[in-house]
């Protein structure tokens, strides 16, 4: 089960990094990007040929701050649910987050494809960040008690 969560988190981060130049599951990379874009605001990233950045997008520090804030909201949402109903939290959030993830993927894949010049599609990461925040907190504090998205803690314990 932990390996499955780790695979999904790694897959999501790979896709988000390629499409949006941000991470949905690990905020360490987004904190780094936030600091880097504050210090070097005019850096042009190399991007794959299939990535089109919107001309009307907000500055990168605003974007990375929003992703980090949305992740924090996901953690707070899970903790609130855990405080209200500790035994039912996982069984509630699991199907709920799966349904939301499917909706986000449909919106991103069907509705937003080819709309990069009109809308800044990288904001999808702000919708994904709370979902993976809940997954990370659930795997750390829930029945697994294993970090599925953080390698540094495991390396330190070796």
């Amino acid at each position: 089960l932990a390996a499955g969560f780790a695979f999904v988190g790694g897959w999501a981060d790979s896709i988000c990094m390629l499409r949006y130049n941000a991470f949905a599951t690990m905020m360490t990379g987004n904190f780094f990007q936030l600091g880097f874009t504050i210090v070097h605001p005019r850096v042009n990233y190399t991007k794959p040929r299939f990535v089109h950045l919107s001309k009307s997008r907000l500055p990168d520090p605003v974007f990375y701050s929003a992703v980090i804030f949305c992740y924090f909201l996901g953690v707070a949402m899970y903790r609130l649910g855990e405080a209200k109903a500790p035994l039912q939290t996982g069984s509630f959030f699991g199907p709920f987050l799966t349904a939301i993830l499917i909706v986000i993927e449909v919106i991103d894949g069907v509705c937003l494809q080819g709309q990069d010049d009109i809308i800044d599609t990288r904001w999808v990461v702000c919708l994904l960040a709370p979902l993976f925040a809940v997954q990370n907190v659930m795997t750390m504090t829930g029945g697994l008690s294993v970090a599925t998205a953080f390698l540094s803690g495991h390396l330190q314990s070796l």
Side-chain angles (χ1 to χ4, degrees):
L1 193 58
F5 281 125
F7 177 79
V8 168
W11 181 264
D13 270 340
S14 298
I15 297 298
C16 286
M17 194 61 197
L18 286 173
R19 287 185 190 170
Y20 312 115
N21 203 29
F23 298 99
T25 69
M26 300 182 307
M27 293 304 108
T28 305
N30 292 328
F31 271 109
F32 172 78
Q33 293 282 51
L34 172 64
F36 186 80
T37 57
I38 288 172
V39 174
H40 303 287
R42 302 219 190 314
V43 170
N44 289 324
Y45 295 103
T46 58
K47 57 186 182 346
R49 282 178 276 158
F50 58 86
V51 174
H52 303 287
L53 297 175
S54 171
K55 295 172 185 73
S56 62
R57 66 188 214 155
L58 286 173
D60 286 336
V62 174
F63 169 68
Y64 291 117
S65 297
V67 173
I68 294 165
F69 180 73
C70 289
Y71 186 89
F72 172 74
L73 286 179
V75 172
M77 181 177 63
Y78 180 81
R79 292 294 189 186
L80 182 64
E82 193 176 46
K84 297 284 184 189
L87 297 178
Q88 292 83 17
T89 308
S91 59
F92 167 74
F93 276 109
F96 179 69
L97 295 179
T98 302
I100 290 177
L101 184 60
I102 291 169
V103 169
I104 291 170
E105 282 300 308
V106 167
I107 289 170
D108 186 35
V110 175
C111 302
L112 296 180
Q113 289 301 317
Q115 303 294 320
D116 294 322
D117 291 335
I118 300 167
I119 187 170
D120 189 2
T121 57
R122 69 185 178 157
W123 290 97
V124 169
V125 180
C126 288
L127 300 175
L128 293 172
L131 302 178
F132 287 106
V134 169
Q135 174 187 309
N136 291 341
V137 174
M138 202 170 6
T139 58
M140 282 294 295
T141 63
L144 289 177
S145 299
V146 173
T148 59
F150 314 107
L151 183 61
S152 58
H154 294 301
L155 292 175
Q156 291 170 1
S157 63
L158 291 176

